[in-house]
Amino acid sequence: MLRGAVAAVARRRGPGPGPGGGKAAARWCCGAARRREWVPPAGRDSGIVAYNSRSRSKEPLVLATEGAATWYSCGPTVYDRAHLGHACSYVRFDIIRRIMTRFFGIEVIMVMGITDIDDKIIKRANEMNISPVALARIYEEDFKQDMAALKVLPPTVYIRVTDNIPQIISFIKTIIASGQAYATSQGNVYFDVKSWGKRYGVLTTIYPDTQDEAADTDKRHGKDFALWKAAKPQEPSWASPWGKGRPGWHIECSTISSAVFGKQLDIHTGGIDLAFPHHENEIAQCEAYHQCEQWGNYFLHSGHLHVKGSQEKMSKSLKNYITIKDFLKKFSSDQFRMFCLRSRYSSAVEFSDESMDDAKHLLQAISSFIRDGNAYIKGQLVCDPVREDILWERLANTKVTVKAAFADDFDTSRAVAAIMDLIHHGNRQLKAVTKDAGFPRSSVVYGSIISYIEGFFNALGMSFGERQVALGGGDSAVLSNVIDELVRFRSKVRHYALALPEEAAEAVPVEGAAGAKGPKQEQKERRQQLMQERKPLLEACDSLRGDLAAFGIHIKDRAAVSTWEIVEGGQAEQQTEEKS
């Protein structure tokens, strides 16, 4: 079914790759000498405006096929563990994908290329004394596990470079035939950037320099880039018309994307550091191969992740990185996703413990509101009458604001701010009172608000109000029931310790007794005696609450019942919340 769906999209994209003939080819050849401005594609308007690196401005996102978006994502070079900089880019684009699917009804067909042959892979494999293939498979699986832990949806298909060597060779042969690439006597093949003229520099203001001649290499010009690299001793290689060798870096993505989607592509994504030279070279290769005026209608780039106090991006080469696995030992995937939601995907973002604490506190505020709202609906939280008309209006306005924010270049920070404002107004009306005056509860409006908020975050890959998720593990439902019973038992003990028997309140002195005390005095002494006798019970209840808090289980005592929740961070988080 998947192959059929992908093939159907490819058919809608137009004829297959390869040189054209007649007037069409002549028009294309003339166009190669001039810079091509971005042209709005034909198709269906998605209702979204996105910043397009090709046009360097916000543009309506127009899709060739109504209700479906073709998307190519640059995948990892699998030679080591992925770090938080990678996570930031993939989570941000996962959020965008979820927005398109869940809020705009667009089916996303995503292809991700896996670079499993590369200089870094060969070097690392030699250091570890294993084959490059074995190394690549180890870290490919490691990457997929990291993405699953971060709740990043897998692409429609992963495609490895080494599974497409014949297609890459054919792709290169077509570019050579079109006059935009050349083979050298040493067995290398290069893209001739000078021949591409001012069409080179779509994403950056870089033009081929006629004086930029290559030195100490078999390139014709310094800006030319490799499509095929001649084999070196002890390195993996494949037979080709130019001798044994392996693909260059940029050609792999062009080939894989074209093999699936044809000569046109809706969306191409990656980190901003890939814009040049990787994406620039992809565009040149694909437009030369397909002989088309515009390949890749929308290029979306995510901003760098910086470590606090540094202007440099997080990267392995700078040795300033944190692996995803190490990060998840300290923080949760929901906390990192909230961290990503608080900024625009295209902006640089600073990572620090403080910024992660901010994300954690937002999650706690959301969880607290959902918890209190559910307690109110159940009758466990008694409040003054609620102005339902105000809350219904706030909810309606929030839905409009969120949709508008997402339609404006996927502005998650504005959408989250709208949700937090709704929570603020919902909290303002949950004014607890000690005595139930019998007012009717406004359960429907609070149920609607909670449902919308939970649906909002669930759609973006997060979970609220699900103790099984927080507890984790296959026995989480059983453990949740055990805690329920423990908290219920503690609540009964606590209520017994706080309550006075009726005889204590109605005690009267024995008639004629010597030194008889008045009723009020006797009631007071009886009350004090009972309080003293039951004090150890209350202390035990408080001790249990404190002990459970150390494990992240926070008990909240209400007027009628006690409720519990999972608070990440244990006692320290609880104390912070209580102080605030």
Side-chain angles (χ1 to χ4, degrees):
M1 184 177 290
L2 173 60
R3 287 194 296 270
V6 172
V9 173
R11 285 195 296 273
R12 295 189 192 104
R13 293 295 177 179
K23 294 181 180 179
R27 285 196 301 271
W28 174 80
C29 290
C30 293
R34 59 184 170 79
R35 178 169 180 152
R36 177 68 178 173
E37 297 299 327
W38 182 76
V39 176
R44 300 282 185 168
D45 193 329
S46 65
I48 300 168
V49 174
Y51 183 85
N52 186 2
S53 296
R54 281 207 71 149
S55 66
R56 302 173 198 177
S57 63
K58 286 184 182 179
E59 307 289 354
L61 180 61
V62 176
L63 305 174
T65 303
E66 184 176 10
T70 55
W71 182 332
Y72 183 80
S73 170
C74 287
T77 300
V78 284
Y79 73 98
D80 203 348
R81 286 184 167 177
H83 59 65
L84 216 54
H86 302 131
C88 189
S89 182
Y90 288 119
V91 168
R92 282 171 151 182
F93 285 125
D94 180 69
I95 290 168
I96 288 176
R97 179 182 177 183
R98 290 171 182 270
I99 289 171
M100 291 175 64
T101 301
R102 298 292 294 273
F103 291 87
F104 292 89
I106 299 168
E107 291 298 328
V108 173
I109 303 169
M110 177 184 283
V111 173
M112 180 178 288
I114 299 288
T115 301
D116 60 344
I117 184 65
D118 177 84
D119 292 339
K120 294 176 181 177
I121 293 172
I122 295 169
K123 181 176 181 292
R124 185 78 190 279
N126 289 336
E127 292 171 353
M128 296 176 65
N129 197 28
I130 62 175
S131 72
V133 173
L135 179 85
R137 295 297 175 268
I138 289 169
Y139 285 114
E140 178 184 336
E141 184 58 30
D142 193 75
F143 169 79
K144 291 176 181 177
Q145 290 174 2
D146 282 344
M147 293 300 103
L150 290 168
K151 302 181 185 177
V152 173
L153 296 171
T156 310
V157 287
Y158 289 106
I159 299 183
R160 296 173 182 149
V161 172
T162 56
D163 291 339
N164 287 269
I165 299 299
Q167 293 89 335
I168 291 172
I169 291 171
S170 176
F171 202 97
I172 294 171
K173 287 169 67 177
T174 300
I175 298 176
I176 292 174
S178 71
Q180 265 67 54
Y182 58 91
T184 71
S185 59
Q186 296 181 23
N188 296 305
V189 180
Y190 297 101
F191 189 92
D192 187 350
V193 173
K194 186 177 178 182
S195 74
W196 203 234
K198 290 188 177 181
R199 288 192 66 169
Y200 193 78
V202 172
L203 301 178
T204 53
T205 53
I206 293 177
Y207 300 95
D209 187 347
T210 54
Q211 303 300 316
D212 187 6
E213 300 299 325
D216 300 324
T217 152
D218 56 347
K219 293 181 183 181
R220 291 178 183 171
H221 310 288
K223 289 188 175 68
D224 294 350
F225 55 89
L227 305 183
W228 187 261
K229 296 181 176 182
K232 295 179 181 178
Q234 311 291 309
E235 286 189 358
S237 62
W238 290 263
S240 80
W242 319 286
K244 284 195 169 184
R246 56 186 172 87
W249 175 30
H250 316 296
I251 196 69
E252 62 192 48
C253 291
S254 294
T255 303
I256 290 171
S257 177
S258 296
V260 178
F261 297 126
K263 70 177 183 179
Q264 290 189 28
L265 175 70
D266 289 326
I267 299 169
H268 196 313
T269 57
I272 187 62
D273 52 316
L274 295 179
F276 184 86
H278 187 51
H279 291 166
E280 186 69 55
N281 292 348
E282 277 188 69
I283 292 170
Q285 291 167 158
C286 285
E287 291 182 356
Y289 174 78
H290 293 293
Q291 297 194 6
C292 64
E293 290 285 351
Q294 181 168 291
W295 175 84
N297 291 327
Y298 300 88
F299 276 74
L300 276 57
H301 291 109
S302 59
H304 283 147
L305 179 75
H306 297 279
V307 180
K308 184 177 181 181
S310 172
Q311 294 302 309
E312 297 174 324
K313 69 170 184 173
M314 183 178 289
S315 70
K316 289 192 178 77
S317 60
L318 296 173
K319 301 186 185 303
N320 63 349
Y321 65 93
I322 303 166
T323 66
I324 294 171
K325 285 180 172 57
D326 286 343
F327 170 82
L328 290 175
K329 292 175 184 176
K330 186 175 181 181
F331 300 103
S332 72
S333 62
D334 280 358
Q335 289 165 358
F336 186 68
R337 196 162 283 249
M338 178 59 81
F339 166 81
C340 292
L341 284 169
R342 296 185 66 225
S343 62
R344 280 189 176 269
Y345 74 93
S346 55
S347 64
V349 61
E350 184 179 87
F351 172 79
S352 65
D353 283 347
E354 290 81 5
S355 60
M356 287 306 304
D357 284 341
D358 289 343
K360 288 168 68 175
H361 292 149
L362 276 179
L363 291 176
Q364 288 170 9
I366 297 163
S367 293
S368 180
F369 171 74
I370 292 173
R371 196 168 52 250
D372 288 347
N374 281 329
Y376 172 75
I377 293 170
K378 295 175 184 178
Q380 297 170 348
L381 180 61
V382 180
C383 297
D384 284 334
V386 167
R387 286 288 306 275
E388 291 190 21
D389 56 331
I390 294 176
L391 292 181
W392 283 120
E393 182 180 1
R394 288 285 177 183
L395 177 58
N397 291 342
T398 300
K399 291 179 179 180
V400 172
T401 301
V402 165
K403 190 72 178 285
F406 284 158
D408 181 15
D409 197 26
F410 312 102
D411 190 349
T412 56
S413 59
R414 183 151 59 100
V416 170
I419 294 292
M420 298 311 297
D421 186 63
L422 176 62
I423 288 173
H424 167 71
H425 286 281
N427 276 329
R428 284 182 62 184
Q429 299 223 35
L430 285 180
K431 297 176 181 177
V433 294
T434 55
K435 190 173 182 180
D436 190 351
F439 296 117
R441 295 198 302 275
S442 301
S443 300
V444 176
V445 67
Y446 272 96
S448 298
I449 291 172
I450 290 170
S451 178
Y452 176 72
I453 292 171
E454 288 184 339
F456 172 89
F457 286 108
N458 287 340
L460 298 181
M462 301 166 71
S463 304
F464 286 96
E466 299 177 13
R467 289 173 179 165
Q468 286 80 0
V469 174
L471 291 166
D475 298 326
S476 59
V478 174
L479 182 56
S480 178
N481 289 331
V482 169
I483 298 174
D484 276 338
E485 290 302 318
L486 178 62
V487 171
R488 190 174 292 113
F489 175 76
R490 175 188 172 277
S491 182
K492 288 180 180 178
V493 172
R494 182 172 176 273
H495 285 150
Y496 169 77
L498 290 173
L500 290 177
E502 291 183 7
E503 57 266 23
E506 298 173 359
V508 293
V510 178
E511 200 171 318
K517 300 177 182 178
K520 290 185 178 180
Q521 180 64 24
E522 199 162 302
Q523 286 179 25
K524 182 178 179 181
E525 290 180 1
R526 176 63 174 155
R527 187 185 298 269
Q528 289 174 344
Q529 181 184 352
L530 287 172
M531 289 175 62
Q532 192 64 29
E533 290 174 354
R534 298 179 184 183
K535 184 178 179 182
L537 294 176
L538 289 173
E539 289 175 344
C541 289
D542 289 342
S543 178
L544 177 60
R545 181 174 64 176
D547 290 344
L548 290 178
F551 295 100
I553 300 170
H554 182 191
I555 298 176
K556 182 176 283 188
D557 293 317
R558 304 184 185 278
V561 296
S562 296
T563 59
W564 65 275
E565 63 176 318
I566 296 293
V567 178
E568 296 188 52
Q571 183 68 46
E573 292 291 349
Q574 181 185 348
Q575 290 173 352
T576 301
E577 184 178 325
E578 288 172 351
K579 287 177 184 177
S580 61

